[in-house]
Amino acid sequence: MKWRHWLLLPLMLALAAGLGYTVLSLPDQAHGLQGAVADQLGKSGVSNPVTAVLLNFRGYDTLLEMVVLTLALLGVWSLGAQPAVHAESIPGPVLDMLTRLLVPILIMVAAYLLWAGAHAPGGAFQAGAVLGAAGVLLLLTGWRLPPRGAGYPLRVALVVGVVAFLAVAALPLPGGRHLLEYNPTYAGVLILIIEAFATVSIGVTLAVLFFGADPADKEPR
Amino acid sequence: MSVPFLYALVGIGLFCLGFYALIVHNHLLRKILAINVMGSGVFLVLVALARRGGETPPDPVPHAMVITGIVVAVSATALALGLMLKVKAATGRAALPDQSRD
Amino acid sequence: MEAMTWLSWSFDAFIGLGLLWLAWRVLACSDLFKAIVLFIAFGLFMALVWVRLAAPDIALAEAAIGAGLTGALLMAALARLRED
Amino acid sequence: MQTVLSEIPWALVLILLPLAGGIACFVLTAAVRWLGLLTASLVPIAAGGLGWQLSREGVYRHAVGGWGAPLGIDLHADGLSLLMLAMTAFVGFGVSLYATGYFKSAHAARFWPLWLLLLGALNALFLSGDLFNLYVTLELVGLSAVALTALQGGRDALTGAMRYLLATLLGSLAYLLGVALLYHGYGTVDLALLSERVAPSPVVWAVLGLMSAGLILKTALFPLYFWLPPAHASAPAPVSAVLSALVVKASFYILLRLWLEIFSDISVDVAGLFGLLGAGAVLWGSLQALRQTRVKLLVAYSTVAQIGYLFLAYPLASGMGATAWSAMAYLVFSHALAKAAMFLAAGNLRQFGDHDRIADLDRVVQRLPLTAGAFALAGVSIMGLPPSGGFNGKWLLLQAALAQGRWDLVGVMFLGGLLAVGYVFKVLSNTFTQAPVTHEPISVPARMQWAAMLLATSAILVGFLASPFLALVGMGDPFNVGELWP
């Protein structure tokens, strides 16, 4: 078994050397798209160029990426129940207190990141991740979704980001315009709406992925 | 060597290191970590090379691509971890059975 | 000025080598729990690199998703793996 | 009426409709079957609409967001995209019809959202003209395919899905590194712009290596096929059909596009390597198929072999482009139909006898005539016997090889054909006789049998439609050869 690994090592070094040579062969000056982005930034509705690329210029990628996240959740849920984490992880008073303190702060941080994304570093994914972290903390302290919320309401919260994105994407089509084409006057508002719904969905999805299985899943394990 | 090329080479190193570990290790959790390290390497190449040529504001397009990539990576990791637990439950080991013996 | 550039360059070289060393430890150390902790550290180091590369948006995403939530997912999976 | 039809953006409908359908199925769990079947029946109509639009207005381009490449993402459809979309729509409909009978309630609620999202992802992939966007669609396809493989659980399916996931992620990352290098070499990820800008350089060579290796792994071309047989053989029957018929074609399509747009001018030697691997796949896959004792594993290895034929077109295209690419288009399409039919029939056999051991198939011809017939008709196309789509493809490929004096490839095709006859008849001959171990048959719903029959018959019928078929595929000259044969 081991000799195969030794055989692999020179191959990997050759691969690294080849790729390294390729990287060094690139010119010293980048000629990317920063100029094109800067030219159109005024029409994008936001002033943070990364957000402009993510939600406007290449918004279609981001739409599909939201579907990727939903798909991961569908995949994990379709595997059925997972073993529950053992009782030893029941939190002590410290974690409990920390959670009470942290969760409201995290939610406020998420809201700030969402709002700031238009002009400064931040945006839906960072905000959603922070929201997800708040959810993970709650789950760690033993909080569970009440059964009434576990079915339909949870599923709606999970997909509301994709649905809002799809709706905004398809909106210009009946008028004969392009997919995801925003009117520059409303672009900022539309982006904020998409991001707000996306943040909720991303946060809930990440927290639910941490939980492991569909809380409404009654299948015996 | 300029800083962008330095980090791009580190990215290539991470890619190859992760690739090697992915093949060599049997434990599935380790393979999942290896895939993540490989991914970080690719992201590093993508962003570092955009810094070539100095202090002008960086190209935001690779930045947006990497944020997309990070979300794709966490999605794939979540599915892989769920699958790994099911493999463990079904076979008793968090490793893939040797195919040649099947 | 020359000294500043040199200092900044060696700082980057240090981070780059540290990143490679961390990745190697993540993939080679014998204990899985330790590997995950190292992976989270690796993610935080990555966030530092993104800052160095003038990419604060990625730094935020990496710290929150790459290190934070991926780390939490890995920890939860390891705990479940050791259940039985 | 005509103006209304031509104003509908059919390409966008093909992407948005299944995505919306999948999400609706996820939320409205009670109505999944009807929502699912409805969506899957509307997709072929949209594909037909796109075909009509293309034939009237020529190549379709859509700048998402109105920005246009290189800043934005461009969608693009020509005859080759249409071929893949029509294949997806048609196989997708047959499989959906089958799935309404196959999955029971708990699994149905999990199957339909995943399957419709996969359908939307495949359509998005075949319509994308942007390399990074292709990466995202590739991951969508990969993750949904893996989740579907593991859907019903079981030791083999779970380990098969895990192996599949690791392989597909590795392939995607190699591809993505190639995208990164291309972007930094040429300042765009738009395929059309790249084809104008790319010139031979170390970057292009590295990208060719990375992307080819990653996509070959995802296409399961010999010798990187290790993950395919366990995954395709252990997945639920409708999922196996989708994996073999459509999912491996997704990465194959990207590689083909890259070849046609970027790499063919850079290197002809690599075409020879692709041909060599293809020949290896034909021989090795067929031999392995012949050795199997279970129906689904046999059919899965047959996929390994049939993928090989697709790569034989690369070396032959340098001399006789029109003939070789026509052959490949025919093989892609007819293999999808025939292989889906075969996997669906295999699923019926398995449900009927609660096993899929070839030796223990018990008088299936008398008791399950439609299924046995579907398997036989699909077998005709896979073996390449006339009249069938498979025959047209293999005949054209043979012509290209003969005309260029490639006797080695002629020999490979001849041997591959003989071995295919061997493995198809290995199954068929056991369907007539009484098995040593008899069993109580379990009834198979009629629509599951008719779904297999529908796809198998289409694989035969497409053989009669050579000139309209090739005229459609040649729209917009995706292969840069002018008119396709004949």
Side-chain angles (χ1 to χ4, degrees), chain D residues 5 214 357 432:
Chain D
L5 278 179
R357 293 183 298 276
F432 288 92

Side-chain angles (χ1 to χ4, degrees), chain B residues 1 3 6-7 10 14 17 21 25 27 29-30 33-34 36 40 43-44 47 51 58 63 66 70 74 81 85 88, chain C residues 9 12-13 16 23-24 26-27 29-30 32 35 39 42 49-50 53-55 58 62 65 70 73-74 77 81 84:
Chain B
M1 190 193 318
V3 170
L6 173 80
Y7 278 121
V10 171
L14 291 177
L17 200 64
H25 285 293
H27 199 286
L29 192 69
R30 199 78 74 164
L33 287 173
N36 272 292
S40 295
F43 300 155
L44 200 50
V47 171
R51 282 292 280 166
H63 293 199
V66 167
I70 288 175
V74 74
L81 290 172
L85 291 173
K88 166 87 193 300
Chain C
W9 191 89
D12 285 317
W24 173 59
V26 166
L27 298 172
C29 82
S30 55
L32 280 174
F39 181 77
F42 173 81
V49 173
W50 299 131
L53 288 168
I58 311 179
E62 179 83 44
I65 303 178
T70 307
L73 286 173
L74 288 164
L81 209 55
D84 31 36

Side-chain angles (χ1 to χ4, degrees), chain A residues 54 65-66 69 113 122-133 136 198-199 202-203 205-207 209, chain B residues 36 40 43 66-78 81, chain C residues 39-40 42-44 46-47 50 57-74:
Chain A
L54 266 178
E65 173 200 356
M66 293 286 300
L69 198 60
L113 281 172
F125 290 102
Q126 294 86 345
V130 171
L131 207 59
V136 168
T199 302
I202 294 166
T205 306
L206 290 172
L209 280 174
Chain B
N36 272 292
S40 295
F43 300 155
V66 167
I67 290 179
T68 304
I70 288 175
V71 177
V72 170
V74 74
S75 307
T77 304
L81 290 172
Chain C
F39 181 77
I40 295 169
F42 173 81
L44 294 174
M46 282 296 292
W50 299 131
D57 291 85
I58 311 179
L60 275 175
E62 179 83 44
I65 303 178
L69 278 158
T70 307
L73 286 173
L74 288 164

Side-chain angles (χ1 to χ4, degrees), chain B residues 38 46 50 52 59 80 97 99, chain D residues 163 165 170 180 183-184 226 230:
Chain B
M38 279 183 81
L46 198 49
R52 282 172 299 155
D59 184 357
Q99 222 170 2
Chain D
R163 203 184 295 275
L165 178 59
L170 176 62
Y183 180 79
H184 288 301
F226 62 93

Side-chain angles (χ1 to χ4, degrees), chain D residues 18 68 155 166 185 207 239 241 335 362 392-393 400 421 448 452:
Chain D
R155 186 182 180 280
L166 293 172
V207 169
V239 175
H335 172 254
D362 191 15
N392 288 16
V421 171
M448 284 167 64

Side-chain angles (χ1 to χ4, degrees), chain D residues 58-427:
Chain D
V59 174
Y60 177 81
R61 265 198 175 276
H62 183 91
V64 179
W67 301 107
L71 180 62
I73 297 169
D74 278 6
L75 303 180
H76 164 257
D78 57 12
L80 178 56
S81 328
L82 183 67
L83 169 79
M84 309 306 280
L85 291 164
M87 167 187 90
T88 307
F90 205 76
V91 172
F93 174 71
V95 168
S96 298
L97 187 65
Y98 184 90
T100 54
Y102 185 88
F103 287 107
K104 303 293 169 273
S105 61
H107 285 130
R110 293 170 180 174
F111 169 79
W112 286 102
L114 283 170
W115 158 230
L116 291 181
L117 291 184
L118 172 58
L119 192 58
L122 284 166
N123 286 345
L125 189 150
F126 295 135
L127 283 165
S128 181
D130 181 284
L131 292 183
F132 186 78
N133 185 249
L134 279 169
Y135 163 74
V136 181
T137 58
L138 207 50
E139 291 288 32
L140 271 171
V141 170
L143 293 186
S144 50
V146 168
L148 283 167
T149 306
L151 190 71
Q152 284 183 322
R155 186 182 180 280
D156 291 344
L158 290 168
T159 51
M162 189 77 225
R163 203 184 295 275
Y164 182 16
L165 178 59
L166 293 172
T168 196
L169 289 177
L170 176 62
S172 303
L173 283 175
Y175 172 83
L176 184 63
L177 187 55
V179 175
L181 292 175
L182 272 182
Y183 180 79
H184 288 301
Y186 300 98
T188 180
V189 284
D190 182 76
L191 201 50
L193 286 176
L194 278 172
S195 77
E196 293 164 14
R197 294 185 191 175
V198 165
S201 70
V203 172
V204 175
W205 282 100
V207 169
L208 173 63
L210 282 167
M211 287 187 159
S212 304
L215 293 170
I216 279 177
L217 174 63
K218 285 171 91 88
T219 313
L221 177 64
F222 179 85
L224 298 178
Y225 68 91
F226 62 93
W227 58 267
L228 185 144
H232 288 206
S234 61
V239 175
S240 304
V242 170
L243 294 180
S244 262
L246 306 178
V247 172
V248 288
K249 308 282 167 51
S251 44
F252 173 79
Y253 166 81
I254 299 181
L255 187 58
L256 177 64
R257 275 280 184 214
L258 285 167
W259 181 260
L260 294 170
E261 299 287 329
I262 300 181
F263 296 132
S264 58
D265 303 331
I266 308 291
S267 156
V268 187
D269 316 345
V270 178
L273 178 65
F274 283 174
L276 194 67
L277 298 182
V282 169
L283 296 177
W284 182 251
S286 305
L287 273 172
Q288 288 295 321
L290 200 57
R291 282 187 51 216
Q292 300 306 314
T293 55
R294 287 170 182 270
V295 182
K296 283 189 79 179
L297 264 174
L298 182 148
V299 181
Y301 273 105
S302 155
T303 297
V304 174
Q306 300 297 319
I307 288 167
Y309 282 102
L310 305 180
F311 282 87
L312 294 184
Y314 282 85
L316 295 175
S318 56
M320 290 178 74
T323 316
W325 294 128
S326 302
M328 201 210 59
Y330 244 116
L331 289 171
V332 165
F333 197 77
S334 56
H335 172 254
L337 294 169
K339 190 48 63 76
M342 252 186 183
F343 264 121
L344 296 185
N348 288 344
L349 294 179
R350 192 190 175 101
Q351 179 154 348
F352 179 71
D354 202 24
H355 72 81
D356 74 339
R357 293 183 298 276
I358 296 168
D360 296 340
L361 292 175
D362 191 15
R363 290 165 294 154
V364 176
V365 169
Q366 292 96 312
R367 302 197 288 174
L368 220 53
L370 266 177
T371 293
F375 196 95
L377 283 180
V380 167
S381 186
I382 294 284
M383 290 183 282
L385 300 180
S388 70
F391 167 74
N392 288 16
K394 279 167 193 167
W395 179 245
L396 287 170
L397 205 58
L398 201 62
Q399 279 191 336
L402 283 171
Q404 296 178 69
R406 290 298 303 265
W407 298 104
D408 49 343
L409 295 184
V410 173
V412 166
M413 281 184 246
F414 183 70
L415 269 174
L418 275 184
L419 289 167
V421 171
Y423 64 71
V424 170
F425 275 96
K426 180 173 177 178
V427 177

Side-chain angles (χ1 to χ4, degrees), chain D residues 78-80 82-83 329 468-479 484:
Chain D
D78 57 12
L80 178 56
L82 183 67
L83 169 79
F469 179 86
L470 291 174
L472 280 174
V473 176
M475 277 188 305
D477 194 16
F479 300 103
L484 283 183

